[in-house]
Amino acid sequence: MSEKKSWFQKLTERPRKPYANPYIGGAILGVTLFLSLMLTANGLGASAIFARINGFLVNLVAPSHVDRVPQLIKVAGGSRNPFNNWITFEVTGLIIGALTASILFGRFKVETTKGPRVSEKTRWLLAFIGGAIFLYGARMARGCTSGQVMSGGASLSAGSWSIGLVMFTIAFIVAYFVRKIWN
Amino acid sequence: MFPLASINALGKTGVFLIEVLIGFAFGFGLEISGFSNSYVLTGQFYFRNGRVIKAMFTAIMVAMVLIFGSVALGILDYDVIWVDPTYLWPGIVGGLLMGLGIIIGGYCPGTSIVSSVSLKKDAWFFVLGGLFGTFLFSETEPLFHYFYNDSFYGRLTVMDVFHISTGLTVTIFVILAVLLFWLNDVLVRKYAREDSDPFLKRGWVGRVAIVLVAGALIVWAIWPTWQQKWTRVAPKKAPLLEQYQVQISPAELFSSLQDHKTNTVVIDVRDDYSYNLFHLKWEHHIPLNELEAYAPILKKEVKEVPLTVFVLVSDDEGKSTEGWKILEAEGVPNVYILSGGFNSLIMTFGDEDIEKGLCAPAPSSVSEVERLNYYFKGALGDRYRASDLSINDEWAEEMLEKLKFKPKIKLQKPKGVAGGGCG
């Protein structure tokens, strides 16, 4: 018998709409970044939330260890609450925004996005490895695509532009060697 | 004056609420641009589509034109907003790893959160990997702590590096971005197997180019001169001059130079001839017509050495007052003028030099603005006792005891947000 669909199924089975014009998407992101600097003096960010979650988790397992590691002291040292920071609120908004857009345009679906020639499990492993490398680099560079390349790029930070150039150049070069993953 | 957070107009709750709204638009913008899918995102690197370059550089350029347009109009204080500080080598190594990470992992941190939310399993693994990478970094950072904090240039802007004006910089970046959009489309047309990008129509690059280039040219055209900036700050700053609150006595300059807790930077704004005749040891010589160009460097100095005070000197106080207006217009904090200039300084400290005949009071005792009231036997530079006011010897101790003054220097903290970016 045909069961009544759950609310979750309904949300994931909405018709998929095409993505927006990237220039329009970019303009929305640009105005958002500008408003962020106008109102809060901060740019956009994302990788910082990883550092704060990491600080929170290490603090749960080994609180005394936190106070010995410079990178952890910054976010969770002493009685510091790692989430008492603007980034927590910005990422909360980011999650709601992404949820709204993906449900609205039918892209809210349990799936694995990958190149046609790799299995799902390989893709998951590569995503984990890539994530680890990326965030190691983002901590080293003191910011990621949003914090450095976009925010620092728009406010004309010399360091941000050098980071962005290196990042894109390397990605294009390595893309050729790993083309089997994606094509 | 924006940013609003700098004047505490919002309060902590207000800022956090606004952050949620900004995050919402950020997440929405990333999702609709196609970045909740690693296959679409990495499509850029094979020119299956050109979405990353289009969305990302449009975002940067739109924000850049709006930011510097607002700065030019005087409604946004560029000195207060977050500009990522430059740590050159850790940045380059980090950029290298991020380039590697994005092509192997298929996401960057922001897009991995967006994709996780839209239920992409691979994004969940990227986020887990990202947490592991963050953990590894915090544990291994002590091993290369020196490198991580090395090659630090502070708040370094592209304008500081190339010594070009802000308007020109914005225009160059916008033109480069438009060329990149054009090249991107050429390559996508060549390599895209299917019509994966319905926005490849030729008209789009042209439309984007017109809007961005027009914006950049407007920024360039309306960028204010220091005189225009001075008119904006004059209602607040001119009374300080009139009430004689920023003109410090030679005795206060001396005491400030003797006090090694403060970083007293003396800036001589006279021309080369007067400088060679007589100047203070350890001072900086920046002729008045070059002072505006030095403003960004002075602002950096205050950020890096917080207890910095600038004292402008000239023969009397005409040129130094002009210099004060330039630096105030450019937003340099803690700037003072040596009251009476070198005339007054030699009168206070030059007894010994006068006795030795190195200099002598000019016959006319009528003080004109910008005329040195002393004769010098020759160009002796800083080889006078009165030239070195920072050395602490018996004479200096005696002078410190003897001289009385009403202190006017009040040090202000440098402007700017405490933290930001992905810190």
Side-chain angles (χ1 to χ4, degrees), chain B residues 197-349:
Chain B
D197 189 346
F199 302 103
L200 210 54
K201 284 189 215 99
R202 281 170 205 276
W204 273 103
V205 178
R207 268 174 249 177
V208 172
I210 290 168
V211 174
L212 288 179
V213 172
L217 290 177
I218 291 172
V219 172
W220 199 2
I222 64 169
W223 197 261
T225 58
W226 76 261
Q227 286 91 343
Q228 288 168 311
K229 290 184 199 165
W230 167 253
T231 336
R232 281 176 196 159
V233 297
K236 238 173 90 187
K237 300 290 183 177
L240 296 177
L241 274 183
E242 285 152 21
Q243 295 160 12
Y244 228 65
Q245 288 180 23
V246 289
Q247 291 90 334
I248 63 166
S249 64
E252 183 165 11
L253 170 64
F254 175 59
S255 143
S256 181
L257 283 166
Q258 290 281 321
D259 175 8
H260 293 278
K261 282 198 290 290
T262 57
N263 172 30
T264 310
V265 180
V266 179
I267 300 171
D268 190 333
V269 296
R270 299 172 303 166
D271 54 28
D272 290 350
Y273 173 79
S274 312
Y275 177 80
N276 291 337
L277 211 53
F278 172 91
H279 61 250
L280 287 177
K281 218 168 189 169
W282 318 119
E283 73 174 15
H284 295 256
H285 179 221
I286 309 174
L288 195 58
N289 56 355
E290 292 171 29
L291 197 57
E292 189 187 351
Y294 273 88
I297 298 169
L298 302 182
K299 280 195 262 188
K300 248 164 87 72
E301 173 97 8
V302 187
K303 285 235 158 142
E304 278 150 34
V305 190
L307 295 173
T308 295
V309 55
F310 300 106
V311 182
L312 299 175
V313 291
S314 57
D315 283 335
D316 209 284
E317 49 179 68
K319 275 190 176 182
S320 46
T321 303
E322 191 75 357
W324 187 84
K325 287 181 184 170
I326 296 176
L327 295 186
E328 287 294 332
E330 297 294 332
V332 181
N334 301 336
V335 187
Y336 292 85
I337 300 164
L338 177 63
S339 164
F342 281 117
N343 285 331
S344 158
L345 186 115
I346 295 172
M347 197 156 70
T348 316
F349 297 105

Side-chain angles (χ1 to χ4, degrees), chain A residues 38 65 111 113 136 155 175 182, chain B residues 3 38 46 78 103 121-122 140:
Chain A
M38 279 296 263
H65 181 66
E111 62 185 329
T113 59
Y136 197 94
S155 59
W182 296 110
Chain B
S38 65
Y46 302 97
Y78 183 53
I103 197 66
K121 284 187 194 165
D122 49 323
T140 53

Side-chain angles (χ1 to χ4, degrees), chain B residues 58 193 228 249 287 388:
Chain B
T58 304
R193 276 179 211 152
Q228 288 168 311
S249 64
D388 193 350

Side-chain angles (χ1 to χ4, degrees), chain A residues 14-34:
Chain A
R14 290 168 60 87
R16 193 187 284 260
K17 299 243 173 66
Y19 292 114
N21 182 338
Y23 291 120
I24 303 290
I28 292 176
L29 293 173
V31 172
T32 308
L33 172 54
F34 167 69

Side-chain angles (χ1 to χ4, degrees), chain B residues 19-246:
Chain B
E19 286 292 354
V20 175
L21 295 174
I22 285 165
F24 182 91
F26 185 26
F28 198 91
L30 285 176
E31 209 285 334
I32 63 167
S33 300
F35 304 146
S36 62
N37 183 319
S38 65
Y39 184 69
V40 175
L41 208 153
T42 54
Q44 174 68 69
F45 299 101
Y46 302 97
F47 296 103
R48 284 196 309 264
N49 64 55
R51 289 188 162 271
V52 174
I53 283 180
K54 287 179 191 176
M56 184 138 175
F57 285 92
T58 304
I60 296 174
M61 296 306 146
V62 165
M64 191 187 284
V65 168
L66 291 172
I67 290 167
F68 291 99
S70 310
V71 173
L73 290 172
I75 55 173
L76 175 65
D77 191 347
Y78 183 53
D79 296 331
V80 175
I81 61 169
W82 172 256
V83 174
D84 298 75
T86 296
Y87 292 80
L88 187 63
W89 286 107
I92 286 175
V93 173
L96 209 140
L97 291 171
M98 289 195 279
L100 201 60
I102 199 167
I103 197 66
I104 293 175
Y107 294 109
C108 63
T111 53
S112 75
I113 298 172
V114 170
S115 305
S116 294
V117 171
S118 68
L119 307 176
K120 307 296 178 281
K121 284 187 194 165
D122 49 323
W124 301 344
F125 283 94
F126 186 98
V127 168
L128 285 177
L131 283 174
F132 181 65
T134 309
F135 173 74
L136 275 188
F137 183 79
S138 64
E139 295 305 306
T140 53
E141 190 266 341
L143 302 175
F144 50 86
H145 193 69
Y146 179 79
F147 172 77
Y148 178 65
N149 292 295
D150 198 23
S151 59
F152 175 58
Y153 293 89
R155 192 185 203 266
L156 185 72
T157 65
V158 176
M159 292 75 85
D160 300 336
V161 175
F162 294 105
H163 301 289
I164 47 176
S165 76
T166 309
L168 180 61
T169 311
V170 173
T171 309
I172 290 174
F173 269 105
V174 163
I175 289 172
L176 288 177
V178 170
L179 289 176
L180 183 68
F181 293 150
W182 171 78
L183 180 71
N184 188 37
D185 271 3
V186 168
L187 290 168
V188 173
R189 277 196 204 99
K190 191 170 171 201
Y191 291 107
R193 276 179 211 152
E194 70 268 48
D195 187 22
S196 54
D197 189 346
F199 302 103
L200 210 54
K201 284 189 215 99
R202 281 170 205 276
W204 273 103
V205 178
R207 268 174 249 177
V208 172
I210 290 168
V211 174
L212 288 179
V213 172
L217 290 177
I218 291 172
V219 172
W220 199 2
I222 64 169
W223 197 261
T225 58
W226 76 261
Q227 286 91 343
Q228 288 168 311
K229 290 184 199 165
W230 167 253
T231 336
R232 281 176 196 159
V233 297
K236 238 173 90 187
K237 300 290 183 177
L240 296 177
L241 274 183
E242 285 152 21
Q243 295 160 12
Y244 228 65
Q245 288 180 23
V246 289

